Amino acid sequence: MPLTQDQQDEINELRSTTTQTLRATAPGMEKHLYTAYPVLDHGFVRVIDYMGDDNAITQAARVSYGKGTKAVSNDEGLIRYLMRHWHSTPFEMCELKLHVKLPVFVARQWIRHRTANVNEYSARYSILDREFYIPAPEHLAAQSVVNNQGRGEALSGEEAERVLRYLRDDAMRCYDHYEEMISQDDQQGLARELARMNLPANVYTQWYWKVDLHNLLHFLRLRADAHAQYEIRVYADEICKLVADWVPYAYKAFEDYRMGGATLSSTALDCVRRMIKGEEVTQENSGMSKGEWREFQALL
Amino acid sequence: MPLTQDQQDEINELRSTTTQTLRATAPGMEKHLYTAYPVLDHGFVRVIDYMGDDNAITQAARVSYGKGTKAVSNDEGLIRYLMRHWHSTPFEMCELKLHVKLPVFVARQWIRHRTANVNEYSARYSILDREFYIPAPEHLAAQSVVNNQGRGEALSGEEAERVLRYLRDDAMRCYDHYEEMISQDDQQGLARELARMNLPANVYTQWYWKVDLHNLLHFLRLRADAHAQYEIRVYADEICKLVADWVPYAYKAFEDYRMGGATLSSTALDCVRRMIKGEEVTQENSGMSKGEWREFQALL
Amino acid sequence: MPLTQDQQDEINELRSTTTQTLRATAPGMEKHLYTAYPVLDHGFVRVIDYMGDDNAITQAARVSYGKGTKAVSNDEGLIRYLMRHWHSTPFEMCELKLHVKLPVFVARQWIRHRTANVNEYSARYSILDREFYIPAPEHLAAQSVVNNQGRGEALSGEEAERVLRYLRDDAMRCYDHYEEMISQDDQQGLARELARMNLPANVYTQWYWKVDLHNLLHFLRLRADAHAQYEIRVYADEICKLVADWVPYAYKAFEDYRMGGATLSSTALDCVRRMIKGEEVTQENSGMSKGEWREFQALL
Amino acid sequence: MPLTQDQQDEINELRSTTTQTLRATAPGMEKHLYTAYPVLDHGFVRVIDYMGDDNAITQAARVSYGKGTKAVSNDEGLIRYLMRHWHSTPFEMCELKLHVKLPVFVARQWIRHRTANVNEYSARYSILDREFYIPAPEHLAAQSVVNNQGRGEALSGEEAERVLRYLRDDAMRCYDHYEEMISQDDQQGLARELARMNLPANVYTQWYWKVDLHNLLHFLRLRADAHAQYEIRVYADEICKLVADWVPYAYKAFEDYRMGGATLSSTALDCVRRMIKGEEVTQENSGMSKGEWREFQALL
């Protein structure tokens, strides 16, 4: 269970106190505020704060385009137009702040998205908890045989058992030694900033992560994608649900134009045109490499 | 007067509708929300939305430093510590969204601050209003005789009158021609994206500008400074008042450590040490150039 | 002619001095270094410096993917793979520094691309030259009748003449007054930082602009596009030629996957699939709005 | 030894091939190009490419300030002026690309500097080497007793031996299991993206890191500082030496104004003024908290 009773009590208290505000409020998001949604075995995602709603997007767009935009009859239509034409600045006018608990190897992927604000728990300063990600048996995947950067089927039998035993035992032993090294009982105690180096990458950390909606959607497009590593995808999936309730028009446009969409090259567009005319197009006469053709076929 | 009756009515309506929220609310900022504070002859600054308060800063810092930070007994002390030690990430956890109306030559300085989100009125798409910044007589400053990038005393007499006449007449004539060129009465009408090039840089534009508190304070340090151009400084001064009411602890620390503070070089620090010991330090034995010494003297 | 004899002499001198370096060198770019390529009536683009070449992109990718990437048999194939899969970080490993002279209204669009480094000529500090963009007659376009943000045909006859006369005369008169206001002959002279506000937006400015290849390609995709305003598109077109010679594999991939490509929504992809099967798809049964359908038709 | 014979051969070859270029060349940096300077037990720093030199900084500043800057008689004086007045954009005109090998816990601190370009070795894709940072005995520091985020003296005797044994043995055991888990001999083999989670944070990774000079100096001010963790400071120290040879004027100004300098608050400045006048200033009458006063005393 990812939360202690104390933490749950704090959340309950925060959720019981409402204040008056003149700001735009998103009812769909208010219901999620502070609640920790479990992810993986010890992780969670919870909304700490948000700014703006669907209307904040169109309001910003109307500053840019003035009275002219009244032609686009409604908010949803305008949001779809902005998404379709990659007019990204109005989406930057919404902001989300999350509290996330996640394994270090997931955090290392996540942090590569640079246009966000982050405050991470400091293991130089404080002591990490004895919490490690151990995959559920069905997620203990083999290396893909077709793709260097991918997974195959789940391991099974003795091999699966051995892997789980290694992961658990090594984590526990490393943590025992971490604790023993920093202990100040009858010894000096190693500096925390050094001792932490003994902890494997499945140890959990946590951070506050604040990002604008445009950059958040970019993150979700990459990390909620089928090719993303499972362990970060489950976080992205959870965040998708929150965004869908927060800015429903923007999220729907995102699903249609980004998540479900695809970019075709000039060559691929040309093939599509020929195919629609009834022409037989093969890899050989497509102008594509084998890899591109395979991806093109999968798309259609 | 910068606002039309329609705009004022809209503001009044927005200010009369409060909703319930579970989010952190800053009472000092709620009272400013939506209100347009006049700046220069036709400009204004108004708060459209905000995220976080002083407590959001310490909350984020405590994620980083964990239980250890309880040693710093209170929120104000912790905020001062963070500011003093340039721990900037917790200040990034607050966000402000402003609606600003400002002359184009001011907008051109302002936009150089890259870490912000902007939606500007589009003169490709829409028609600019006949509004130009004309300096008040006391701000019609002469070129500084000591500093290439500065102002001297206000012009006076016939020279002042002539300058004001040029600014007014050129603006009006350029706008007359702008209107005439885009007119579609009995002619095709020049494209707006071209016609706008005839308007001088004192024409007003407007934008939504969203920025986190860390980057906002950096902007204010540079633009509310005595060396900033008067026409941007008045905007920065107005924003300072809003920030002081929004995050009072952070603003006070900012005033003490940034606005009122100064950075001394290694050489200057050495001189200070010698002077405190009672030694006579002159430019010649200071190790500083004449320019540095002049600035050092001005500081002490 | 955009360059004075002095400037041309300086360029000739720079181009006559070669030094030895151990760094990667792009022969296709060396031939362009320092040369000012004219754009519009007084503008130019010239390369001041560059870092990296096609090989720097694959080298960086191979740090990420290690020995595994040897499978992609050659550099061009790997660059195409990276572009197709939006792996943008290796493209950030190349950098370009340009010196650009351009009208202020173009500079205002350009600066919206935030991930670049800029040093602009300061009109607070120095005096602007009497140089204004006056469109060639064939680019004096009427407002589009179908699109608020676009151009129609070129103006003609008396209307065209009147527009050109306004643009020229207003620019000259504003500049005369600018000069007169800052003059210190027998008067104090208005501060430069104020006087500049009298100059219309077709006055020329100049800057150094440094950007990495990934962000440069993003800029080119938007600004070399048929929907971009003509006056910024000619700069983008000129830069495209330079990039094509600098990193030929990357540029070719960019042309195929970005410039000539298109993003299809989930709905549009579905229509394509139906059309390839021979089904009759109309706007009514497509699931698209009229606007989307029109764009979709134009694509195919 | 951080480099294999193969890698050393490649470096020797790169260093033996010079080409002609028209670009600005920094002789002080050419001598370092490609050479791997050892850091910690298995790490290194090496320059892969650079753009610009001291002259590129003043050249960019002169674009901004035009002819007026000729008043500052020489390049070094101008660079010192820019540094002293926080005019940061000219420093952004130089760029450095490094190849760094470093332990993961150091990489996690380093990556927090967001304004840089990074390509890291991918452990999803490729297999990490059996290389772990094991501190030298003199760097095996105890937790500071005065500062939660700091180190005390080196551990000694049996405690030191036990810590070293834990670090070595845990690293080796975790790596043995990593290898065994991904092995495809007589088993499926765990996906690399999962197996890596078993490796502790002292395992080495490597990346290409590209950054402009302004942001690099900011990094160095924080990470070459006495309060930075030793294991990142040694990298920063090594980079300082490279920068000193690359842009000697800029580096000297940086040393004087940033590394050796200090920011005084308004209150501290006031105390300095009083002390220079001969007044007795104590913590009680200083207006500072105990913590601030202690830091102020340490400075003077």
Side-chain angles (χ1 to χ4, degrees):
Chain A
M1 204 199 61
L3 289 175
T4 64
Q5 190 55 46
D6 275 7
Q7 291 172 311
Q8 194 54 58
D9 290 349
E10 195 195 324
I11 290 170
N12 293 342
E13 199 194 314
L14 284 165
R15 287 203 52 80
S16 68
T17 320
T18 64
T19 49
Q20 299 278 329
T21 187
L22 291 168
R23 290 175 291 169
T25 300
M29 200 57 153
E30 290 285 331
K31 71 180 187 208
H32 294 300
L33 264 172
Y34 307 125
T35 303
Y37 292 102
V39 184
L40 299 179
D41 49 356
H42 300 287
F44 60 73
V45 167
R46 64 193 195 101
V47 178
I48 296 300
D49 208 344
Y50 69 89
M51 175 192 269
D53 55 6
D54 271 330
N55 186 54
I57 300 166
T58 55
Q59 185 191 41
R62 290 193 165 106
V63 169
S64 295
Y65 306 121
K67 296 143 202 162
T69 25
K70 287 196 180 145
V72 180
S73 52
N74 58 46
D75 278 4
E76 184 170 10
L78 178 53
I79 285 175
R80 291 180 67 81
Y81 176 91
L82 296 169
M83 184 74 78
R84 194 159 76 245
H85 292 272
W86 300 85
H87 291 191
S88 56
T89 54
F91 296 98
E92 295 176 15
M93 289 290 152
C94 295
E95 193 89 14
L96 185 64
K97 197 198 302 182
L98 299 173
H99 181 189
V100 187
K101 188 170 162 190
L102 71 180
V104 160
F105 72 96
V106 175
R108 294 239 296 138
Q109 282 193 353
W110 195 308
I111 201 79
R112 293 304 316 278
H113 297 262
R114 287 161 292 184
T115 39
N117 311 112
V118 184
N119 275 103
E120 185 176 353
Y121 186 86
S122 168
R124 275 190 84 187
Y125 203 93
S126 302
I127 299 168
L128 285 162
D129 288 331
R130 187 192 285 268
E131 287 182 314
F132 294 86
Y133 169 60
I134 306 294
E138 65 270 27
H139 297 302
L140 210 64
Q143 179 70 22
S144 165
V145 290
V146 295
N147 181 348
N148 253 350
Q149 186 171 319
R151 292 185 180 190
E153 298 196 344
L155 302 182
S156 60
E158 202 197 346
E159 185 181 355
E161 277 169 39
R162 193 170 57 248
V163 163
L164 283 175
R165 195 172 63 242
Y166 284 160
L167 292 175
R168 272 197 210 103
D169 291 356
D170 287 350
M172 287 306 115
R173 187 184 302 102
C174 286
Y175 195 86
D176 287 344
H177 292 161
Y178 168 71
E179 262 191 326
E180 197 180 325
M181 291 190 289
I182 60 177
S183 164
Q184 296 179 326
D185 296 348
D186 298 324
Q187 64 174 14
Q188 292 179 273
L190 184 65
R192 290 165 192 177
E193 66 179 30
L194 285 171
R196 62 173 164 170
M197 82 170 82
N198 204 52
L199 296 174
N202 55 344
V203 69
Y204 275 88
T205 183
Q206 51 181 293
W207 60 33
Y208 273 38
W209 189 66
K210 178 171 146 288
V211 68
D212 68 59
L213 179 58
H214 167 66
N215 282 291
L216 176 60
L217 293 178
H218 182 70
F219 172 87
L220 294 176
R221 185 167 69 92
L222 295 177
R223 303 306 179 177
D225 184 88
H227 296 91
Q229 180 164 353
Y230 168 78
E231 282 77 17
I232 196 165
R233 202 167 69 230
V234 284
Y235 286 90
D237 289 344
E238 200 62 39
I239 297 171
C240 279
K241 290 184 218 161
L242 298 167
V243 176
D245 282 347
W246 173 31
V247 282
Y249 291 156
Y251 188 74
K252 207 150 154 270
F254 166 72
E255 272 192 313
D256 193 18
Y257 294 116
R258 298 283 183 278
M259 289 305 282
T263 301
L264 297 187
S265 70
S266 158
T267 311
L269 273 176
D270 198 51
C271 290
V272 164
R273 286 185 202 110
R274 288 159 60 195
M275 288 159 89
I276 287 173
K277 283 189 198 140
E279 199 179 314
E280 177 93 17
V281 181
T282 63
Q283 191 250 310
E284 286 71 22
N285 69 20
S286 70
M288 297 189 212
S289 72
K290 278 179 188 166
E292 286 176 75
W293 179 255
R294 199 166 43 233
E295 290 164 27
F296 179 68
Q297 289 291 89
L299 196 68
L300 299 182
Chain B
M1 204 201 57
L3 289 175
T4 64
Q5 190 55 46
D6 275 6
Q7 290 171 312
Q8 193 53 59
D9 290 349
E10 195 195 325
I11 290 171
N12 292 344
E13 198 195 313
L14 283 166
R15 286 203 51 79
S16 67
T17 319
T18 63
T19 50
Q20 299 280 329
T21 187
L22 291 167
R23 290 175 291 169
T25 300
M29 200 57 154
E30 289 285 331
K31 71 181 187 206
H32 295 300
L33 263 172
Y34 308 125
T35 303
Y37 293 102
V39 185
L40 299 178
D41 50 356
H42 300 287
F44 60 73
V45 167
R46 63 194 196 100
V47 179
I48 296 300
D49 207 343
Y50 69 89
M51 175 193 270
D53 55 6
D54 271 330
N55 187 53
I57 301 165
T58 55
Q59 184 190 42
R62 288 195 166 104
V63 170
S64 295
Y65 305 122
K67 294 143 203 162
T69 26
K70 287 196 180 144
V72 180
S73 51
N74 58 46
D75 278 4
E76 182 169 11
L78 178 53
I79 284 176
R80 292 180 67 81
Y81 175 91
L82 296 169
M83 184 73 77
R84 194 158 77 245
H85 292 272
W86 300 86
H87 290 192
S88 56
T89 53
F91 296 98
E92 296 175 15
M93 289 290 152
C94 294
E95 193 89 14
L96 185 64
K97 196 198 302 182
L98 299 173
H99 181 191
V100 187
K101 188 171 163 190
L102 72 178
V104 161
F105 73 96
V106 175
R108 295 239 295 137
Q109 281 194 353
W110 194 309
I111 201 78
R112 293 305 316 277
H113 296 263
R114 287 161 291 185
T115 39
N117 311 112
V118 184
N119 275 103
E120 185 176 352
Y121 186 86
S122 167
R124 275 190 85 186
Y125 203 92
S126 301
I127 300 169
L128 284 163
D129 288 331
R130 186 191 285 269
E131 287 182 315
F132 294 86
Y133 168 60
I134 307 294
E138 65 271 26
H139 296 303
L140 210 65
Q143 179 70 20
S144 165
V145 290
V146 295
N147 181 347
N148 252 350
Q149 186 172 320
R151 292 183 181 193
E153 298 194 344
L155 302 182
S156 60
E158 202 198 344
E159 186 181 353
E161 278 169 39
R162 193 171 57 249
V163 163
L164 284 176
R165 196 173 61 242
Y166 283 160
L167 292 176
R168 272 197 210 102
D169 291 357
D170 287 351
M172 287 306 114
R173 187 183 303 102
C174 286
Y175 195 86
D176 287 344
H177 293 161
Y178 169 71
E179 263 190 326
E180 197 181 325
M181 290 189 290
I182 60 178
S183 164
Q184 296 178 328
D185 296 348
D186 299 324
Q187 64 174 13
Q188 292 181 272
L190 184 65
R192 290 166 191 177
E193 66 179 30
L194 285 171
R196 62 172 164 170
M197 81 169 83
N198 204 52
L199 295 174
N202 55 344
V203 70
Y204 274 88
T205 183
Q206 50 183 292
W207 60 33
Y208 273 38
W209 189 66
K210 177 169 146 290
V211 68
D212 69 59
L213 179 58
H214 168 66
N215 282 291
L216 176 59
L217 293 178
H218 182 70
F219 172 87
L220 294 176
R221 185 166 70 90
L222 295 177
R223 302 306 178 178
D225 184 89
H227 296 91
Q229 179 164 354
Y230 168 78
E231 281 77 17
I232 197 167
R233 202 167 71 231
V234 286
Y235 286 90
D237 288 345
E238 201 62 39
I239 297 171
C240 279
K241 291 184 217 161
L242 299 167
V243 176
D245 282 347
W246 174 31
V247 282
Y249 291 156
Y251 188 74
K252 205 148 156 269
F254 167 71
E255 272 193 312
D256 194 18
Y257 294 115
R258 297 284 183 279
M259 289 305 282
T263 301
L264 297 185
S265 70
S266 158
T267 310
L269 273 176
D270 197 51
C271 291
V272 164
R273 287 185 201 109
R274 288 159 60 195
M275 288 161 89
I276 287 173
K277 281 189 197 142
E279 200 180 314
E280 177 92 16
V281 182
T282 62
Q283 191 251 310
E284 286 71 22
N285 69 20
S286 70
M288 296 188 211
S289 73
K290 278 178 188 168
E292 286 177 74
W293 179 257
R294 198 165 44 233
E295 289 165 27
F296 180 67
Q297 290 290 90
L299 196 69
L300 299 182
Chain C
M1 203 200 63
L3 289 175
T4 65
Q5 189 55 46
D6 274 7
Q7 291 171 313
Q8 193 53 59
D9 290 348
E10 195 194 325
I11 289 170
N12 292 343
E13 198 195 313
L14 283 165
R15 287 202 51 80
S16 67
T17 320
T18 63
T19 50
Q20 299 279 330
T21 187
L22 291 167
R23 290 174 291 169
T25 300
M29 201 57 153
E30 290 284 333
K31 71 182 187 206
H32 294 300
L33 263 172
Y34 309 124
T35 303
Y37 293 102
V39 185
L40 299 179
D41 49 355
H42 299 287
F44 61 72
V45 167
R46 63 193 196 102
V47 178
I48 296 301
D49 208 344
Y50 69 89
M51 175 193 269
D53 55 7
D54 271 331
N55 186 52
I57 301 166
T58 55
Q59 184 190 42
R62 289 195 165 104
V63 169
S64 294
Y65 305 121
K67 296 144 203 161
T69 23
K70 287 197 180 144
V72 179
S73 51
N74 59 46
D75 278 5
E76 183 168 11
L78 179 52
I79 285 176
R80 291 180 68 81
Y81 176 89
L82 296 168
M83 184 73 78
R84 194 159 76 245
H85 292 272
W86 301 85
H87 290 192
S88 56
T89 54
F91 296 97
E92 296 176 14
M93 288 292 153
C94 294
E95 193 90 14
L96 184 63
K97 197 198 303 183
L98 299 173
H99 181 191
V100 187
K101 188 170 163 192
L102 71 179
V104 161
F105 72 94
V106 174
R108 296 240 295 138
Q109 281 194 354
W110 195 309
I111 201 78
R112 294 304 316 279
H113 297 263
R114 287 161 292 185
T115 39
N117 310 113
V118 184
N119 275 103
E120 185 177 353
Y121 186 86
S122 168
R124 274 191 85 186
Y125 203 93
S126 301
I127 300 168
L128 285 163
D129 288 331
R130 185 192 285 268
E131 288 181 314
F132 294 85
Y133 168 61
I134 306 295
E138 65 271 27
H139 297 302
L140 210 65
Q143 179 69 21
S144 165
V145 290
V146 295
N147 182 348
N148 253 350
Q149 187 170 321
R151 293 184 179 191
E153 298 195 345
L155 302 182
S156 60
E158 201 197 345
E159 185 181 355
E161 278 170 40
R162 193 170 58 249
V163 163
L164 283 176
R165 196 173 62 243
Y166 284 161
L167 291 176
R168 274 198 209 102
D169 290 357
D170 287 350
M172 287 306 115
R173 188 184 302 102
C174 286
Y175 195 86
D176 288 343
H177 292 161
Y178 169 71
E179 263 191 327
E180 197 181 326
M181 290 190 289
I182 60 177
S183 163
Q184 295 179 327
D185 297 348
D186 299 323
Q187 64 173 15
Q188 292 180 273
L190 184 65
R192 291 166 191 176
E193 66 180 30
L194 285 171
R196 63 171 164 171
M197 80 170 84
N198 204 52
L199 296 173
N202 54 346
V203 70
Y204 274 88
T205 183
Q206 49 183 293
W207 60 32
Y208 273 37
W209 189 65
K210 178 171 145 288
V211 68
D212 68 59
L213 179 58
H214 167 65
N215 282 291
L216 176 60
L217 293 178
H218 182 69
F219 173 87
L220 295 177
R221 184 166 70 91
L222 295 177
R223 303 306 179 179
D225 184 88
H227 296 91
Q229 180 164 354
Y230 169 78
E231 282 77 17
I232 196 166
R233 202 167 69 231
V234 285
Y235 285 90
D237 288 344
E238 200 61 39
I239 297 171
C240 279
K241 291 184 216 161
L242 298 167
V243 176
D245 281 346
W246 173 32
V247 282
Y249 291 156
Y251 188 74
K252 205 150 156 270
F254 167 71
E255 270 193 314
D256 193 18
Y257 294 116
R258 298 284 183 277
M259 288 306 282
T263 301
L264 297 186
S265 70
S266 158
T267 310
L269 273 177
D270 198 51
C271 290
V272 164
R273 288 185 201 107
R274 289 158 60 195
M275 288 160 89
I276 287 173
K277 281 188 199 141
E279 199 180 314
E280 177 92 16
V281 181
T282 62
Q283 190 250 311
E284 287 70 24
N285 69 20
S286 69
M288 296 188 212
S289 73
K290 278 180 188 166
E292 287 177 73
W293 179 255
R294 199 165 43 232
E295 291 163 26
F296 179 68
Q297 290 290 91
L299 196 69
L300 299 183
Chain D
M1 205 199 60
L3 290 174
T4 65
Q5 190 56 46
D6 276 6
Q7 291 171 311
Q8 193 53 58
D9 290 347
E10 194 195 326
I11 290 170
N12 293 342
E13 198 195 314
L14 283 166
R15 287 202 51 80
S16 68
T17 320
T18 63
T19 49
Q20 300 278 328
T21 187
L22 291 167
R23 291 174 291 169
T25 300
M29 201 58 153
E30 289 285 331
K31 72 182 185 206
H32 294 301
L33 264 172
Y34 308 125
T35 303
Y37 293 102
V39 185
L40 298 179
D41 50 355
H42 299 288
F44 61 73
V45 167
R46 63 192 196 102
V47 178
I48 295 301
D49 207 344
Y50 69 89
M51 174 192 271
D53 54 8
D54 271 330
N55 186 53
I57 301 165
T58 56
Q59 184 190 41
R62 288 194 166 106
V63 170
S64 295
Y65 305 122
K67 297 143 202 163
T69 24
K70 287 195 181 146
V72 180
S73 51
N74 59 46
D75 278 4
E76 183 169 11
L78 178 53
I79 285 176
R80 290 180 68 81
Y81 176 90
L82 296 169
M83 184 73 78
R84 193 157 77 246
H85 292 271
W86 301 85
H87 291 192
S88 56
T89 53
F91 296 98
E92 295 176 14
M93 289 291 151
C94 295
E95 194 88 14
L96 185 63
K97 196 197 303 182
L98 299 173
H99 181 192
V100 187
K101 188 170 163 191
L102 71 178
V104 161
F105 72 96
V106 175
R108 295 241 294 138
Q109 282 194 354
W110 195 309
I111 201 80
R112 293 305 315 278
H113 296 262
R114 287 161 289 185
T115 39
N117 311 112
V118 184
N119 274 104
E120 185 176 352
Y121 185 86
S122 167
R124 276 190 85 185
Y125 203 93
S126 301
I127 299 168
L128 285 162
D129 288 331
R130 185 191 286 269
E131 288 182 313
F132 295 86
Y133 169 59
I134 306 295
E138 65 271 25
H139 297 302
L140 210 65
Q143 178 71 20
S144 165
V145 290
V146 295
N147 181 348
N148 253 350
Q149 187 170 321
R151 292 185 180 191
E153 298 193 345
L155 302 182
S156 61
E158 201 197 346
E159 186 181 354
E161 278 169 39
R162 194 170 57 249
V163 163
L164 283 175
R165 197 173 60 242
Y166 283 161
L167 291 175
R168 273 196 210 103
D169 290 357
D170 287 351
M172 288 306 114
R173 187 183 303 102
C174 285
Y175 194 86
D176 287 344
H177 292 160
Y178 169 71
E179 263 191 326
E180 198 181 324
M181 290 189 290
I182 60 177
S183 163
Q184 295 179 328
D185 297 348
D186 299 323
Q187 64 173 14
Q188 293 181 272
L190 184 65
R192 291 165 192 177
E193 66 179 30
L194 285 171
R196 62 173 164 169
M197 80 169 84
N198 204 51
L199 296 174
N202 54 346
V203 70
Y204 274 88
T205 183
Q206 50 181 294
W207 60 32
Y208 273 38
W209 189 67
K210 177 170 145 291
V211 68
D212 69 59
L213 179 58
H214 167 66
N215 282 291
L216 176 60
L217 292 178
H218 182 69
F219 173 86
L220 294 176
R221 184 166 69 91
L222 295 177
R223 303 306 178 178
D225 185 88
H227 296 91
Q229 179 163 354
Y230 169 78
E231 281 77 17
I232 196 166
R233 203 166 69 230
V234 286
Y235 285 90
D237 288 344
E238 201 61 39
I239 297 171
C240 279
K241 290 185 218 161
L242 299 167
V243 176
D245 281 347
W246 173 31
V247 282
Y249 292 156
Y251 188 74
K252 206 150 157 269
F254 167 71
E255 271 193 314
D256 194 18
Y257 295 115
R258 297 283 183 278
M259 288 306 281
T263 301
L264 297 186
S265 70
S266 158
T267 310
L269 272 177
D270 198 52
C271 290
V272 164
R273 288 186 201 108
R274 288 158 61 193
M275 288 161 89
I276 287 174
K277 281 187 197 143
E279 199 180 314
E280 177 92 17
V281 181
T282 63
Q283 189 251 311
E284 286 73 22
N285 68 21
S286 69
M288 296 187 212
S289 73
K290 279 179 189 167
E292 287 177 73
W293 179 255
R294 198 164 45 232
E295 290 164 25
F296 179 67
Q297 291 290 90
L299 195 68
L300 299 182

